[in-house]
Amino acid sequence: MLQPGSLSYIAGPVVAIVVMVLLALFMRWAFGGAATGGMRRRRPAPTDDGLLTRVATLSRRESALALRAVLSDAGIRSTIRFPEAHRADVLVFPEDAARARELVASFPAA
């Protein structure tokens, strides 16, 4: 039986704490950011539109939604990206970009 003054009475909790600290340090290194030496997942650059083409940049969310509805009525698939406050980009597929730009030119809020 463990006696309150014995070495093994103290060594057990100390070993457990040391193991937990080492495990925490390993997890931070393995899953932490670049500053801690681990891998870091980067967000794509905000200018990267992927397969889509930007046809309009609007200052109001409501205007972007209205333009998207106009494009949808014309059979053009579109999406809206909000890269920063008070800015909305309307994106379409490249094959629909020319038709979408014609509609954007006639859109009153653009």
Side-chain angles (χ1 to χ4, degrees), residues 14-81:
V14 170
V15 169
I17 290 172
V18 169
V19 168
M20 293 300 288
V21 168
L22 290 174
L23 184 61
L25 289 173
F26 173 75
M27 296 296 281
R28 183 173 177 134
W29 171 79
F31 300 109
T36 59
M39 299 178 303
R40 184 173 191 158
R41 293 184 184 115
R42 295 184 180 167
R43 294 177 53 181
T47 57
D48 180 24
D49 297 333
L51 296 175
L52 301 175
T53 302
R54 185 174 15 163
V55 293
T57 300
L58 303 164
S59 60
R60 296 183 56 224
R61 182 179 194 270
E62 295 79 14
S63 299
L65 290 171
L67 177 58
R68 186 167 184 229
V70 169
L71 293 173
S72 178
D73 289 344
I76 299 172
R77 296 174 296 164
S78 64
T79 190
I80 301 172
R81 177 182 64 186

Side-chain angles (χ1 to χ4, degrees), residues 91-107:
L91 307 166
V92 299
F93 286 98
E95 59 269 12
D96 296 327
R99 281 185 32 219
R101 285 192 179 101
E102 291 173 10
L103 289 169
V104 168
S106 65
F107 189 70

